[in-house]
Amino acid sequence: SQQGEEDPQALSIQEGENATMNCSYKTSINNLQWYRQNSGRGLVHLILIRSNEREKHSGRLRVTLDTSKKSSSLLITASRAADTASYFCATEPVRDFNKFYFGSGTKLNVKP
Amino acid sequence: SQTIHQWPATLVQPVGSPLSLECTVEGTSNPNLYWYRQAAGRGLQLLFYSVGIGQISSEVPQNLSASRPQDRQFILSSKKLLLSDSGFYLCAWRDDLAGVDEQYFGPGTRLTVT
């Protein structure tokens, strides 16, 4: 399956620390996106990185993409308690344009 | 600005009953529309997507169907619910005409089949 897989499944850190979560996928992609989900809510788009990009920043977020390893990482710097949520990566495969495949997510807990 | 609505927010239905979940998008035209299901503590599974009125693509064989009777309306249905249909159903849209790759999600419907 094309579905991305995040690791770790769960991550618990102190406020102010950095949080890193990883995503791996199986086939060539057009882009990879990271989303955030607060408990019981819809998903919110965080950042998109295209297959020809290697790194992207948005505020406290930094995303990297290594297409040779078929992996991506999301770094949240100087985490806050409000960052507590589940984070998902989603891939749009080259051969399945218009379809998005989500991983099972990383549950981040930031302790105040 | 664009908004996406889903209703109802929660639903408890007995096994064998029918289902109709509605999703509407405002402030955009000809969006790509998606239905996902999320099991407890898991990721999202793509169920259906639509690139236009009456155009539905199904991702997995299942007890559900989808329809798009209007440009900005996407409906998820079932004739007879199964216990395994329980989950969190999310609708999303994407502005393909503008070449935007991000998806925007609705608030979701939590379905419990008893």
Side-chain angles (χ1 to χ4, degrees):
Chain A
S1 132
Q2 169 60 35
Q3 191 172 37
E5 291 299 329
E6 290 94 338
D7 81 274
Q9 290 186 330
L11 181 60
S12 186
I13 59 174
Q14 291 293 140
E15 209 165 24
E17 294 179 340
N18 295 342
T20 300
M21 46 206 97
N22 305 294
C23 170
S24 60
Y25 57 92
K26 294 184 179 176
T27 65
S28 297
I29 59 173
N30 290 320
N31 62 73
L32 184 145
Q33 305 177 38
W34 285 92
Y35 289 82
R36 165 196 169 124
Q37 183 181 36
N38 287 79
S39 182
R41 306 292 296 274
L43 276 71
V44 175
H45 182 266
L46 295 177
I47 194 166
L48 177 150
I49 187 163
R50 300 190 189 283
S51 59
N52 60 352
E53 298 175 311
R54 292 297 168 257
E55 187 170 315
K56 209 159 180 184
H57 297 255
S58 177
R60 295 185 294 114
L61 304 180
R62 172 178 170 251
V63 168
T64 61
L65 179 65
D66 187 335
T67 53
S68 66
K69 294 181 179 178
K70 291 187 170 58
S71 67
S72 173
S73 67
L74 171 67
L75 168 67
I76 303 174
T77 60
S79 63
R80 306 165 181 168
D83 294 328
T84 294
S86 292
Y87 292 82
F88 297 89
C89 68
T91 54
E92 182 184 30
V94 170
R95 293 191 176 184
D96 280 328
F97 183 66
N98 271 328
K99 297 181 188 179
F100 296 87
Y101 295 95
F102 283 78
S104 52
T106 292
K107 196 165 187 177
L108 174 65
N109 179 34
V110 182
K111 295 176 282 188
Chain B
S1 66
Q2 301 90 355
T3 54
I4 179 169
H5 303 279
Q6 278 187 252
W7 63 90
T10 59
L11 192 59
V12 180
Q13 292 282 105
V15 167
S17 63
L19 172 74
S20 181
L21 302 181
E22 189 162 342
C23 169
T24 58
V25 181
E26 295 177 358
T28 187
S29 295
N30 199 32
N32 286 357
L33 296 172
Y34 302 84
W35 277 112
Y36 292 91
R37 177 169 59 202
Q38 184 178 31
R42 304 295 301 275
L44 277 67
Q45 179 187 30
L46 178 62
L47 300 176
F48 301 94
Y49 74 95
S50 171
V51 298
I53 296 174
Q55 299 179 61
I56 309 294
S57 295
S58 174
E59 271 300 282
V60 294
Q62 57 208 322
N63 186 41
L64 303 168
S65 62
S67 62
R68 186 170 176 174
Q70 300 179 43
D71 181 43
R72 287 169 284 182
Q73 184 185 30
F74 205 23
I75 297 172
L76 184 69
S77 305
S78 174
K79 292 183 179 177
K80 288 185 178 181
L81 283 169
L82 306 172
L83 285 174
S84 58
D85 292 324
S86 293
F88 191 45
Y89 288 83
L90 289 154
C91 180
W93 72 276
R94 173 191 183 189
D95 190 349
D96 192 42
L97 287 179
V100 174
D101 293 318
E102 296 93 319
Q103 291 182 92
Y104 299 94
F105 283 81
T109 294
R110 189 162 303 280
L111 172 67
T112 303
V113 182
T114 60

